[in-house]
Amino acid sequence: MLVVDAGQGEAELCRLLDGEIRRRRRGRPPDIGEDPSWALREDGDPIRRRVVESLFTVGAGGIATRGAVEEARPGAEPSVLVAGVYTGRGADEQLLDGPIWTGLDIEPAPVADHQVLDLRTGTLARHEDADHPLRTLRFASITRPGVVAMRAEGPAGRLRLGKALRPPPGADMSEGVLDGRRSWARTGGTSGVTAVAWQRLSGGGESRTAERIAAYAAGTCGQRTPTGLVATLDAARRAGFDRLLGEHRAAWADRWDAVDVEVPDDPDLESAVRFALFQLWSNADGRRREAAVGARGLSGSGYSGHVFWDADVYVLPAVVTMHPRLATAMVDYRFHRLPAARAAARAAGRAGARFPWESASDGSDVTPPSGYVGGVPVPIRTGRSEEHITADVAWAAWHCARWTGRSGHLRARRALLEGTARYWASRCRVDDDGRAHIDDVIGPDEYHEGVSDNAFTNVMARWNLRAAAAVTTSSGQRRAWTSLAASLVDGYRPDTGLYEQFAGYFGLEPVKIDDIARPPVAADVLLGRDRLAATQIIKQPDALMLHHLVPEEVRPGSLVPNVDFYLPRTAHGSSLSPAISASLLARAGRPEEALRLLRTAARIDLDDLTGTTAAGLHLAAMGGVWQALLQGFAGVRVRDGTMLVDPSLPDSWRTLGLRFRCLGRRVRLRITPDDVRVEVDVPLRVAVAGRGEVVVTDTAWIERRA
């Protein structure tokens, strides 16, 4: 049991503990606190119900369950999704819904209720606001991958178990026998999800208690009923609900001991950041040899579970500070799909490896050919032209190795850097003056298509060539890639310190976003695609992303002029945009402006700012929020095995506390206007800006002012 002193005295603490002991003895669902720093509460607003289903997703081990209520509801979308398990082909490939384990027969259905997601313990509770309430509690075990559990109580005759496992809405599932136990499965394409369950209804008098434990596993064709699944369920059943919950709570306590945020002067932001960390764990966690992290994780059907650059440059840099092995598994998802990337390059008449804009099971490009903007059908050209993802994949492998200090893993995955460098070498056009160009691309902006010499694409390609040259064993390749990198144009203007976003961008109509709307806004819907393309308005930071990902590749002193020029032109029409903009503003010494954008980023899903949270959470925004705190406000980076700290705090924060993993250590930072406190479990080289480098063996206080 996790006990937190609420400052109400020993008598109140004993009363709470006695109540929990009585609940446990009677087999009732445990009561959980509603500390606003650690819990999110949602009343049963039918308008927000599907949004809440996404927000209250609980997951572990690469399997997640949306927070749908237990009884059937019109328009509800209960779902159990498993990372990397898809059905369909090509652009129609999508995550496969597994059997639903949370359904109960409840009649009549609750009219007034509320749900509470306890971030501290990873549990989702539901209480009915009535004289004879229904109560439920569920969780996805993080100590026993694939195991989920639920306990419910309600009036006799009103609460019934019904089927332990049910098909997703509008779908079918097959029933079979596995190791003598009934099992249910859903299959599609080359893989499937199998589940087995145990349940019981107990109690007498006017109240009943229902318990259900289920176990899930995924497999490829021919292995759709993995061995050991029934044994996993039987072991969980023998342990019992209370022991499973105790193990689970203890494991979450260990997570929060290693990774957490403290902003005592901004409790709403603190809670929102904890929610982001919780959902990154719930949606990206995996125990397998690779991790396919889609744009909406496992929280909904948005983007069909496809993997974008979101995973490589937004989610992975956050995850590597939380769970380094998971970040390595994310790199391996790309590494294992090198054959498909090589085939894509050959199909385009190029060398090396070209990674797809949208990826699913086998690494083929599954980008749909068309879509809708403002209800108008439009062609989707990102699959053909948004090629910077090829360099982004290489960057993710390199960043993971640098942050963890595991250079051996990067050497073992050297083919990622070399294959992508070969692609860029074949993709570049060299003019008569010996300058290299990359034509007909789409940058991160995405409001301007088919442009040449996009600064982000060119500089990332240049970085890719240089990084591959540093690890290759071929001296000839090293010289060729280094020479080509030096000849790539980047659009830099020494007289202004600006990077031109793409060739001809400065000649477009110099409209700023405040001239037409208050961001964040979908400017393509507001103005139309053709009108928008004639202006300098951009969807999200494009040239600015270079200062975030590869600051060593841009000219010293160029951050501030580019922030000043591009942010007033940024619509923040993508959920990816506000957090990275906040990080860059903090690094530019403007933390007050940064804080406003950070708050926007942290509320994207909590307040459904894009109107799309019902289809799943925006994991990239959550990863960006954590990056903004860690890399922006705290100024933490890694270089040559040393952790650098260069904080920039807003005036309203007297202190910022962060816990994270870096270079194989558990690190705790406490930053104030006067000093930085660094606490580590293993000695670590640390350099605070302006104070030089020290080796911290346990705890050190380093003054920020000379």
Side-chain angles (χ1 to χ4, degrees):
M1 179 178 292
L2 184 65
V3 177
V4 179
D5 183 1
Q8 297 177 351
E10 182 178 346
E12 177 65 12
L13 178 61
C14 289
R15 187 189 70 80
L16 292 172
L17 291 175
D18 286 344
E20 280 303 294
I21 291 171
R22 287 194 297 271
R23 298 187 70 82
R24 180 168 180 172
R25 284 174 177 168
R26 296 172 185 173
R28 302 177 65 191
D31 200 6
I32 64 174
E34 296 189 23
D35 179 353
S37 296
W38 288 99
L40 274 68
R41 172 176 169 145
E42 285 279 352
D43 295 323
D45 181 354
I47 296 176
R48 269 180 64 87
R49 193 171 291 279
R50 283 192 60 204
V51 171
V52 173
E53 289 178 4
S54 295
L55 293 176
F56 286 176
T57 297
V58 293
I63 303 171
T65 305
R66 277 171 63 88
V69 296
E70 289 76 18
E71 71 277 7
R73 292 268 187 170
E77 194 175 287
S79 179
V80 176
L81 297 174
V82 181
V85 179
Y86 294 91
T87 184
R89 296 175 62 84
D92 294 326
E93 194 170 12
Q94 58 187 314
L95 284 174
L96 176 70
D97 275 303
I100 306 298
W101 65 279
T102 53
L104 292 171
D105 293 342
I106 303 171
E107 295 181 4
V111 175
D113 65 340
H114 66 271
Q115 290 174 288
V116 179
L117 178 66
D118 185 11
L119 306 175
R120 195 196 306 268
T121 62
T123 54
L124 176 61
R126 183 188 184 199
H127 297 175
E128 184 181 15
D129 305 324
D131 293 336
H132 301 287
L134 173 83
R135 296 165 57 91
T136 69
L137 185 136
R138 72 175 73 158
F139 62 94
S141 173
I142 65 173
T143 59
R144 301 177 186 233
V147 171
V148 290
M150 175 172 65
R151 180 179 281 172
E153 67 175 355
R158 185 183 174 204
L159 172 64
R160 294 184 297 276
L161 288 169
K163 291 184 177 180
L165 294 164
R166 311 179 185 201
D172 296 320
M173 65 181 186
S174 58
E175 183 176 345
V177 177
L178 177 63
D179 294 340
R181 182 73 59 84
R182 293 171 68 192
S183 64
W184 289 263
R186 292 209 68 230
T187 57
T190 60
S191 56
V193 180
T194 302
V196 291
W198 166 89
Q199 62 180 358
R200 71 177 178 186
L201 187 65
S202 59
E206 297 182 353
S207 181
R208 294 288 186 271
T209 297
E211 283 188 8
R212 180 176 296 151
I213 299 172
Y216 284 79
T220 58
C221 277
Q223 296 178 333
R224 288 175 177 159
T225 53
T227 58
L229 185 58
V230 169
T232 297
L233 175 65
D234 287 344
R237 179 181 57 80
R238 287 193 299 271
F241 183 91
D242 291 310
R243 180 177 172 184
L244 292 176
L245 180 59
E247 296 171 352
H248 175 75
R249 282 174 158 175
W252 268 106
D254 184 63
R255 279 183 171 178
W256 290 118
D257 184 61
V259 181
D260 192 15
V261 58
E262 295 177 56
V263 193
D265 300 308
D266 203 335
D268 289 343
L269 178 66
E270 180 184 77
S271 175
V273 175
R274 283 176 175 153
F275 172 74
L277 292 171
F278 175 88
Q279 289 299 359
L280 285 169
W281 267 313
S282 295
N283 283 271
D285 184 22
R287 301 287 180 96
R288 292 184 289 175
R289 67 189 186 105
E290 62 180 38
V293 180
R296 301 299 182 95
L298 301 172
S299 62
S301 58
Y303 293 111
S304 302
H306 294 175
V307 181
F308 293 74
W309 76 310
D310 304 38
D312 305 288
V313 303
Y314 290 89
V315 177
L316 182 143
V319 166
V320 77
T321 73
M322 302 163 60
H323 191 336
R325 283 187 297 173
L326 174 57
T328 299
M330 293 177 68
V331 172
D332 284 347
Y333 167 79
R334 296 296 194 182
F335 181 74
H336 296 149
R337 281 150 189 80
L338 263 173
R342 293 183 179 119
R346 287 195 301 271
R350 308 292 182 188
R354 182 191 192 274
F355 281 90
W357 181 243
E358 298 187 32
S359 177
S361 58
D362 65 3
S364 301
D365 192 348
V366 292
T367 309
S370 62
Y372 291 87
V373 174
V376 177
V378 296
I380 295 177
R381 300 188 176 96
T382 50
R384 180 178 65 86
S385 300
E386 197 152 357
E387 297 186 77
H388 62 79
I389 190 170
T390 292
D392 303 334
V393 167
W395 179 89
W398 171 84
H399 178 80
C400 182
R402 181 168 71 165
W403 192 273
T404 60
R406 296 182 59 197
S407 58
H409 185 267
L410 184 62
R411 286 193 298 271
R413 303 295 182 265
R414 187 176 65 226
L416 273 176
L417 272 66
E418 293 179 331
T420 49
R422 288 190 182 94
Y423 177 76
W424 293 120
S426 67
R427 181 68 172 84
C428 290
R429 170 180 61 85
V430 179
D431 64 22
D432 293 340
D433 296 324
R435 295 176 302 181
H437 307 267
I438 302 177
D439 300 320
D440 190 19
V441 300
I442 299 173
D445 164 27
E446 294 182 348
Y447 284 166
H448 301 87
E449 300 180 340
V451 302
S452 294
D453 290 334
N454 169 252
F456 181 82
T457 303
N458 283 26
V459 175
M460 287 300 295
R462 184 176 72 193
W463 171 88
N464 197 163
L465 289 162
R466 289 173 174 167
V471 300
T472 187
T473 58
S474 168
S475 58
Q477 288 281 30
R478 185 180 304 113
R479 288 191 298 271
W481 289 338
T482 301
S483 175
L484 180 60
S487 68
L488 258 170
V489 300
D490 59 12
Y492 180 70
R493 302 289 183 89
D495 55 331
T496 60
L498 296 177
Y499 284 86
E500 186 174 25
Q501 181 168 296
F502 55 83
Y505 174 84
F506 288 151
L508 298 178
E509 185 179 353
V511 180
K512 296 181 180 179
I513 191 61
D514 285 342
D515 295 335
I516 61 169
R518 181 180 178 181
V521 61
D524 52 344
V525 175
L526 188 65
L527 294 181
R529 287 159 57 90
D530 293 340
R531 172 75 181 93
L532 184 60
T535 74
Q536 291 181 348
I537 293 175
I538 59 177
K539 183 178 183 180
Q540 60 185 315
D542 192 310
L544 291 181
M545 279 294 294
L546 296 171
H547 293 80
H548 179 69
L549 293 183
V550 288
E552 64 280 2
E553 279 287 336
V554 296
R555 302 296 179 93
S558 63
L559 173 59
V560 170
N562 280 276
V563 164
D564 288 341
F565 182 84
Y566 282 108
L567 282 188
R569 291 161 171 79
T570 302
H572 299 300
S574 166
S575 62
L576 310 180
S577 182
I580 299 305
S581 299
S583 181
L584 292 169
L585 279 166
R587 285 180 46 211
R590 285 146 58 174
E592 309 301 332
E593 295 175 59
L595 182 56
R596 288 194 289 273
L597 278 174
L598 180 62
R599 287 187 174 130
T600 297
R603 304 298 304 186
I604 280 173
D605 285 315
L606 292 170
D607 295 338
D608 193 18
L609 296 181
T610 66
T612 60
T613 298
L617 302 171
H618 296 79
L619 285 202
M622 295 176 176
V625 164
W626 185 238
Q627 288 191 64
L629 275 174
L630 190 58
Q631 297 182 28
F633 290 92
V636 176
R637 300 186 79 86
V638 172
R639 185 170 61 213
D640 299 328
T642 297
M643 188 181 80
L644 313 178
V645 186
D646 187 7
S648 177
L649 302 188
D651 292 339
S652 58
W653 293 1
R654 288 169 295 177
T655 182
L656 169 63
L658 295 170
R659 303 178 190 179
F660 57 96
R661 300 178 188 272
C662 181
L663 293 168
R665 282 80 166 172
R666 286 192 176 194
V667 181
R668 297 189 179 190
L669 285 184
R670 184 164 296 276
I671 301 168
T672 72
D674 299 319
D675 60 27
V676 175
R677 178 184 177 182
V678 184
E679 185 177 343
V680 295
D681 59 343
V682 176
L684 175 66
R685 293 200 308 271
V686 178
V688 175
R691 302 301 295 169
E693 183 180 303
V694 298
V695 176
V696 179
T697 58
D698 184 1
T699 304
W701 286 264
I702 304 171
E703 292 185 7
R704 291 180 56 188
R705 297 183 177 89

